[in-house]
Amino acid sequence: MQRLDIGRVVWRDGSVRSLLFLIFLVGAVLPGSIYAVYALEFHPLAKYPGPLLGRLTQCYDLYHAFHGDKHVLLYRLHQKYGPIVRFSPNTISINDPVALKPIYAHGANVKKSIFYECFRAAPQAISTLLATNKTHHARKRRVMAQAFSAEALRGLEQYVLGRIEDLVERMNILLDQTQAEKSQSTVTLNMASYLNYLVFDIMGELVFGKSFGTLGDEPENRAAIRLLGRAARRNYTVAAMPALAQYGIEKYLPFLRGLYHDRAKYLAFGKGQNGLGESGRRDIFSYLLHAQQQDPETGTGIPMPGLFMEGNTLIVAGSDTSSTTMSAVMFYLLTKADAMSRLKHEVLSTFQNVEEICKGPKMQACSWLRACIDEAMRMSPAVAGLLPREVMEGGFGVSELDLFFPAGVQVVVEITRRQR
Ligand code: HEM
């Protein structure tokens, strides 16, 4: 009681208040102000325009990555600020196709940024997609190239066709059921979901040598597709503020905790695939597994954590991208009757029967089919997110745009509709 009174006296006296204010000033306001002056005036990207919050803190990027509207945000920012925008303290977005080649070309003095490190299940779990060291990445590409050779892909085609048959069969069953139950001749199906199932099963075949069975007798595996989406969202979000992953902060944040746990479940699903590389087939995993001794330059293989990560990222890289593209192609064709009828004519006049529809010269001659796919990808790109590259020692310039960036900053090319 007495102590409280003494406290009150001291508080009223003002000395404690002054002390707390001083601590607040020295501990938070002063460093914050110094940082703000640095970020806005002296940072290597200080001269580029962008939203104030974005130039000051990664929280701005994090918020939009989490809400899933970063592509719309970038579109608006480029409309407002022009072709070069600093939307995060250390990152510049360039809305000009001229910058694409210089930045993403093989020999550019940039590397995949820390963004990709946030996708790894553990520091050593590095896949081709997630390798940020250029030498390391090149080595992984050499090994991966064996699994994607023309011969290897030819061997896998029958499994792709098998899963397409599963889809057709599943749709016929649903049609029959509906006809029997409701005497209706048409069925409404959410094709986006069915294409997800199709591609997920195909990826199981290609990567692990066995279908995930979501169109067949393992519908419970459809839950893994949801987890995959959640994992992708978690990755994209924490990559906007890498410290969240680096220091394990994400699992303590209420808005990220659910994503964190679902991503862990997705990783466990990938790891839990039995008999990896032992299907007796030349699936991608078996190429990677048996390539352990085969890197011609180093003679070393892919260590186990990297191998599992390779399987996991391949499923992510191939599933959503392909099913989104197929959904887009289907959507546009169903809304453009003339394009659809031209495609029908091309397919029916090229192939005599269903069995003939496979990779080869006849398929390659289907130029309208190819144009439909390319146009759908242009209008609804499956990878709408940014692909950040970090400038390496010595700096990096895009001479066509008269731009030069010092080492350490991140650059991305975000192509949105251009300003006139
Ligand atoms: C329409 C379908 C697809 C689209 C639009 C697409 C798009 C992309 C893009 C934009 C990248 C570059 C990523 C980056 O630099 O950050 C990439 C990389 C990659 N994709 Fe795909 N992808 C598709 C299908 C697939 C499939 C089916 C597979 C596997 C079977 C696959 C495996 C990979 C791998 C391994 C990489 C990393 C390559 C490297 O870093 O050298 N993708 N993809």
Side-chain angles (χ1 to χ4, degrees):
M1 193 63 187
Q2 210 183 352
R3 271 172 59 204
L4 192 67
D5 286 340
I6 292 169
R8 277 198 194 128
V9 171
V10 177
W11 182 254
R12 287 211 190 101
D13 175 41
S15 54
V16 170
R17 268 180 294 168
S18 311
L19 186 68
L20 285 178
F21 180 67
L22 202 69
I23 291 172
F24 177 65
L25 195 73
V26 175
V29 177
L30 206 62
S33 313
I34 293 172
Y35 168 75
V37 171
Y38 165 75
L40 300 178
E41 297 297 331
F42 300 105
H43 188 280
L45 299 180
K47 66 177 175 183
Y48 297 104
L52 181 64
L53 259 183
R55 287 186 294 147
L56 280 175
T57 165
Q58 290 175 335
C59 292
Y60 181 79
D61 191 9
L62 177 74
Y63 173 86
H64 289 284
F66 178 73
H67 280 278
D69 65 352
K70 210 159 131 179
H71 56 301
V72 180
L73 171 78
L74 264 295
Y75 170 69
R76 295 208 178 113
L77 291 181
H78 280 297
Q79 277 194 324
K80 182 166 178 188
Y81 296 102
I84 320 283
V85 171
R86 182 186 178 199
F87 67 95
S88 190
N90 201 34
T91 314
I92 281 288
S93 170
I94 304 175
N95 178 24
D96 196 322
V98 163
L100 262 178
K101 255 208 176 134
I103 292 178
Y104 296 99
H106 184 61
N109 194 35
V110 297
K111 59 175 189 164
K112 287 185 180 177
S113 79
I114 189 171
F115 175 93
Y116 294 84
E117 291 175 18
C118 301
F119 290 41
R120 299 174 188 167
Q124 293 316 311
I126 306 172
S127 61
T128 311
L129 183 67
L130 309 184
T132 48
N133 176 297
K134 285 189 116 173
T135 318
H136 192 192
H137 178 259
R139 185 162 78 77
K140 283 182 168 296
R141 278 290 291 243
R142 276 196 298 275
V143 176
M144 183 69 91
Q146 302 171 28
F148 284 87
S149 68
E151 191 203 337
L153 292 179
R154 236 189 330 274
L156 291 172
E157 187 174 17
Q158 55 181 307
Y159 304 107
V160 177
L161 295 173
R163 300 300 62 80
I164 293 172
E165 277 165 23
D166 285 351
L167 177 66
V168 174
E169 198 176 307
R170 172 71 37 199
M171 289 170 75
N172 281 334
I173 291 172
L174 286 166
L175 187 63
D176 290 347
Q177 270 174 358
T178 318
Q179 274 175 340
E181 284 165 16
K182 298 181 187 161
S183 315
Q184 287 173 353
S185 58
T186 55
V187 175
T188 306
L189 278 184
N190 180 348
M191 282 312 291
S193 297
Y194 277 86
L195 292 171
N196 265 334
Y197 305 150
L198 168 68
V199 174
F200 197 57
D201 285 355
I202 290 176
M203 289 308 294
E205 295 274 17
L206 300 190
V207 179
F208 297 133
K210 72 181 178 79
S211 167
F212 290 125
T214 62
L215 282 171
D217 51 9
E218 293 173 279
E220 67 279 3
N221 276 347
R222 291 178 185 179
I225 299 176
R226 183 186 153 271
L227 293 178
L228 185 153
R230 299 271 295 164
R233 185 171 174 203
R234 174 267 169 201
N235 292 344
Y236 197 54
T237 304
V238 298
M241 190 184 269
L244 296 180
Q246 280 176 319
Y247 302 111
I249 303 168
E250 55 178 313
K251 53 180 174 284
Y252 302 109
L253 299 178
F255 73 103
L256 278 179
R257 202 178 296 140
L259 290 176
Y260 171 82
H261 288 299
D262 283 348
R263 182 247 192 173
K265 286 184 204 158
Y266 170 69
L267 291 172
F269 171 82
K271 224 171 181 179
Q273 298 309 306
N274 291 324
L276 292 177
E278 293 160 11
S279 63
R281 288 173 15 195
R282 296 301 271 150
D283 52 63
I284 297 176
F285 206 86
S286 82
Y287 273 100
L288 301 178
L289 196 65
H290 297 118
Q292 296 258 0
Q293 306 302 327
Q294 285 180 11
D295 183 344
E297 284 185 29
T298 63
T300 58
I302 305 174
M304 257 311 160
L307 207 54
F308 279 115
M309 201 66 227
E310 203 71 76
N312 260 302
T313 36
L314 273 169
I315 302 284
V316 176
S319 296
D320 254 13
T321 45
S322 307
S323 60
T324 304
T325 302
M326 288 164 77
S327 290
V329 173
M330 202 164 269
F331 171 79
Y332 291 120
L333 282 172
L334 289 172
T335 51
K336 309 261 178 272
D338 50 341
M340 178 66 119
S341 76
R342 190 166 164 185
L343 181 63
K344 264 189 201 163
H345 177 261
E346 183 177 82
V347 172
L348 294 175
S349 58
T350 307
F351 303 101
Q352 302 304 312
N353 51 51
V354 172
E355 285 71 37
E356 262 189 26
I357 304 179
C358 60
K359 256 166 75 73
K362 283 195 170 186
M363 179 73 86
Q364 268 177 343
C366 291
S367 55
W368 185 248
L369 171 65
R370 179 59 197 251
C372 291
I373 297 171
D374 285 350
E375 184 62 358
M377 286 206 284
R378 188 186 69 80
M379 296 207 288
S380 297
V383 182
L386 309 171
L387 309 174
R389 298 295 185 257
E390 182 188 319
V391 176
M392 300 203 306
E393 220 42 62
F396 167 76
V398 184
S399 51
E400 295 85 341
L401 300 175
D402 205 15
L403 293 170
F404 187 84
F405 302 106
V409 307
Q410 295 186 41
V411 287
V412 302
V413 178
E414 171 75 356
I415 305 295
T416 70
R417 198 184 315 154
R418 309 216 27 226
Q419 299 74 44
R420 287 176 199 284

